[in-house]
Amino acid sequence: MNLPTQETRLPPGPDEALTLGVDPETLATLQKLQTAYGNIVSVRKPNGRLAWFVNDANEVRRLLVRHHSRYKKGPGFERVKMLLGNGLIVSDGATWRRSRRMIQPAFTRQNVHRLIGLMIDCANSRAATWEEVARAGETLDITQEMSDFALELILRCIFGADYESHILSAGENPFAFLSKDSERNLRIVLQVRESRNLIMSVINARRQRATQDDFDFLAMYMSATDKTGAGFSDEELLDELVTLIVAGYETSAGTLNWAWFLIARHLEAESALLDEARRLMGDPGKIDQDSLAEAVYGQQLLEETLRLYPPVWLFSRRAIKEDALADYDVAEGTDIYLSPYILHRTEEYWPDPDRFDPARFGPDSPHKKGDRPYFPFSLGPRRCLGEYFSFLEMKVHLGLLIQRFHMTLESDQEPELDLGINLRTKNSIILRPHLREQD
Ligand code: HEM
C-alpha cells in the first residue's frame, strides 16, 4: 500500500481513527462526517488504512464510470462472498470482465420482454391471496408478500418449467429460507450450499434432456461462452446462479415494500398510479413492453421510492491504483465509501430531500436523465444488470394490484430502517387491503 507523502492532497477529516462497516452506526458516522467536513472526507481506520467518504455527485460519477478500472470492490464484500461465491457482484478484474461479457446478453430488452408473461402471472397469484385476505377483513404483511413475490418471479425466470417440476416438487419451496430469514448468518450460508446441490441437479437433468428448447436464464447461462468459445465451469455457473437469485429478488422486494408504504401514505400518488394503470393495464392480456414504457407515472413513483430508500444504501471500493478525485490524491489501497442513501438526501442536490415527490423525475425535473445526482443501481461498467428487468417487474406488479386493491396503513409511524447489506424495514410493514369493487 502506498502511504501518502507530504505532498499528497488529502480531503479534510477528523484526526481520530474511525471504524466504518456496513451497519447502522456507519450511516450515522458518515452523516456526521458530511455535516462537519463536506462532501469529500478522509478518515483513518483503526488499522491505519485510509478511507474516504465521497458524496460529491460528479466525483461519484467519475469514480464509477471513467475511473472504474482504478478500483476493485471494497470492504464488506467478503461477507457477501461467503454467500454468493465469486459471482458477478463480488468478482473483480479479468474474472468479472469475462463473466459480465458472457451474462450481459441474457439481459437484453428483447429477452426481458419475453418474461413479462411470468411477471403478470406472479402478480395475479398475489392478487388471488390478497383477495381472500381482503374478504376476511384481515391485514397483509406486505414486507413478506413482496419477498415472496420477487423470489417466486426470479426463480420462475431462472428455472422456467423446471421450477414446478424440480424445485417445487419436494413441496415447500427450498429457497423460501431466503425470503424468510432476515439474518445473514452461518445457517443461511449452509442452506445456500444445499441449494447449490439442488441447482446442480436441475443442470444435470437439462444436460440429459434430448431437446433444449427452454427459454429462461438457466438456459442462457448454460449456453453462454467466452471469447475462446468456453462456457462456465460448474462452480462458476453455480456462483452466477446463486448471485442472480439473491441479487434478483431482495432489492426489488425491498423497493416494492417501500413503494406500497408510500402509496398507502400518499393518496394523490395512489390515484395517479391507479388512473395510469387503468388506462394502460386494464386488460392484462394486452400488457406488453409498449404499455409498460408508457407507464411513466409508475416509473417516476418507483424512481422516487429508490431515491428515498435505495436498497443498496452503501457500497465500497478499494483503490488498486493511484487516482485523483476533485482536488485530492487517492493513494493506492484507500477504501472509498459511497452512499446513495445519503447523496439522495443531500439538500444541495434534492431540495426538501425527505419529501416524497414523484414529480422530481417528471419532465420538469432540473436534472437531465443521464446526469442526475442519483445512483440506486450504481453507474458505469458495473452498473446493475437487472435494472430494466426490475422496473418492468415492479410496474407490472403495482399496475395490476393497484387496480384491485386500495391499501391502508395500520400504523402512522415511520418504519425503522434496518441497515444491513440491503436497506430494509426493521419490522414488517402491515397494510390492510380493500377490494376496489367495495369502494
Ligand atoms: C430495485 C432493484 C435493484 C437495485 C436497486 C439494484 C442495485 C444494484 C447495485 C447498486 C449494483 C452494484 C453494486 C456494486 O457495484 O457494488 C447491482 C449489481 C447487480 N445487480 Fe442489481 N439491483 C436491483 C435489481 C436487480 C435484479 C432484478 C437483478 C437480476 C435479475 C440484478 C442483478 C444484478 C447483477 C447481476 C449485478 C452485478 C453487476 C456487475 O457487477 O457486473 N439486480 N445492483
Side-chain angles (χ1 to χ4, degrees), residues 86 88 91-100 236 240:
N86 204 24
L88 265 192
S91 60
D92 274 305
T95 309
W96 166 75
R97 224 174 346 269
R98 171 176 177 264
S99 299
R100 175 100 188 188
E236 288 167 346
E240 294 303 348

Side-chain angles (χ1 to χ4, degrees), residues 64 73 77 87-91 96 100 103-104 107 154 217 221 240 243-244 247-253 255 306 310-312 314-317 340 375-379 381-387 389-391 393-394:
L64 292 173
K73 296 268 169 146
F77 280 97
L88 265 192
I89 289 197
V90 284
S91 60
W96 166 75
R100 175 100 188 188
I103 288 174
Q104 194 143 311
F107 286 88
I154 194 68
F217 282 123
Y221 277 42
E240 294 303 348
T243 296
L244 183 58
Y249 97 90
E250 215 175 353
T251 41
S252 305
T255 309
L306 284 160
V312 187
L314 178 70
F315 48 100
S316 66
R317 294 290 186 263
F375 63 118
F377 295 94
S378 186
L379 299 166
R382 294 211 73 152
R383 189 181 180 121
C384 175
L385 262 182
E387 179 174 347
F389 175 98
S390 71
F391 275 121
E393 149 189 31
M394 295 189 291

Side-chain angles (χ1 to χ4, degrees), residues 374-435:
Y374 181 72
F375 63 118
F377 295 94
S378 186
L379 299 166
R382 294 211 73 152
R383 189 181 180 121
C384 175
L385 262 182
E387 179 174 347
Y388 185 64
F389 175 98
S390 71
F391 275 121
L392 290 198
E393 149 189 31
M394 295 189 291
K395 283 202 238 180
V396 167
H397 172 94
L398 292 180
L400 286 177
L401 287 155
I402 197 73
Q403 294 180 68
R404 306 278 299 278
F405 304 96
H406 163 60
M407 307 290 260
T408 52
L409 281 165
E410 284 296 286
S411 153
D412 266 353
Q413 278 192 335
E414 185 73 28
E416 251 186 273
L417 304 182
D418 172 13
L419 296 146
I421 291 171
N422 276 306
L423 169 65
R424 315 186 210 200
T425 48
K426 191 162 264 165
N427 301 307
S428 284
I429 292 178
I430 307 296
L431 296 182
R432 188 174 290 278
H434 309 266
L435 276 169

Side-chain angles (χ1 to χ4, degrees), residues 73-270:
K73 296 268 169 146
F77 280 97
E78 316 81 49
R79 269 167 68 197
V80 186
K81 209 167 191 160
M82 287 220 311
L83 197 65
L84 303 184
N86 204 24
L88 265 192
I89 289 197
V90 284
S91 60
D92 274 305
T95 309
W96 166 75
R97 224 174 346 269
R98 171 176 177 264
S99 299
R100 175 100 188 188
R101 282 209 191 107
M102 289 168 75
I103 288 174
Q104 194 143 311
F107 286 88
T108 59
R109 291 193 170 211
Q110 209 182 4
N111 280 342
V112 173
H113 294 158
R114 293 178 70 178
L115 300 168
I116 293 175
L118 282 178
M119 296 174 184
I120 296 173
D121 288 350
C122 288
N124 279 338
S125 79
R126 284 298 123 196
T129 323
W130 292 16
E131 190 166 330
E132 280 173 34
V133 171
R135 288 198 193 286
E138 288 168 1
T139 56
L140 279 170
D141 177 336
I142 208 76
T143 309
Q144 186 62 47
E145 284 293 310
M146 292 309 96
S147 278
D148 292 347
F149 163 77
L151 184 60
E152 182 187 349
L153 176 65
I154 194 68
L155 291 176
R156 283 184 184 276
C157 292
I158 293 174
F159 296 109
D162 291 332
Y163 175 71
E164 303 273 350
S165 60
H166 281 72
I167 309 283
L168 288 187
S169 56
E172 165 87 3
N173 180 344
F175 293 97
F177 71 93
L178 283 173
S179 83
K180 301 243 156 29
D181 274 276
S182 53
E183 289 291 307
R184 287 276 165 266
N185 55 22
L186 193 61
R187 199 159 56 83
I188 280 237
V189 175
L190 296 176
Q191 281 173 308
V192 169
R193 297 228 170 108
E194 263 173 46
S195 49
R196 289 170 76 96
N197 296 336
L198 178 67
I199 300 174
M200 201 59 229
S201 71
V202 182
I203 295 172
N204 286 331
R206 283 214 183 174
R207 283 179 180 152
Q208 276 157 22
R209 236 182 259 162
T211 50
Q212 300 291 336
D213 52 6
D214 304 275
F215 172 79
D216 47 39
F217 282 123
L218 179 56
M220 292 187 268
Y221 277 42
M222 283 175 68
S223 60
T225 50
D226 65 15
K227 279 194 285 200
T228 70
F232 284 124
S233 69
D234 287 354
E235 275 308 292
E236 288 167 346
L237 196 51
L238 288 173
D239 284 354
E240 294 303 348
L241 289 164
V242 174
T243 296
L244 183 58
I245 296 172
V246 174
Y249 97 90
E250 215 175 353
T251 41
S252 305
T255 309
L256 284 171
N257 181 38
W258 287 110
W260 276 117
F261 164 75
L262 291 164
I263 291 166
R265 206 179 229 193
H266 298 273
L267 287 177
E268 68 299 343
E270 182 197 15

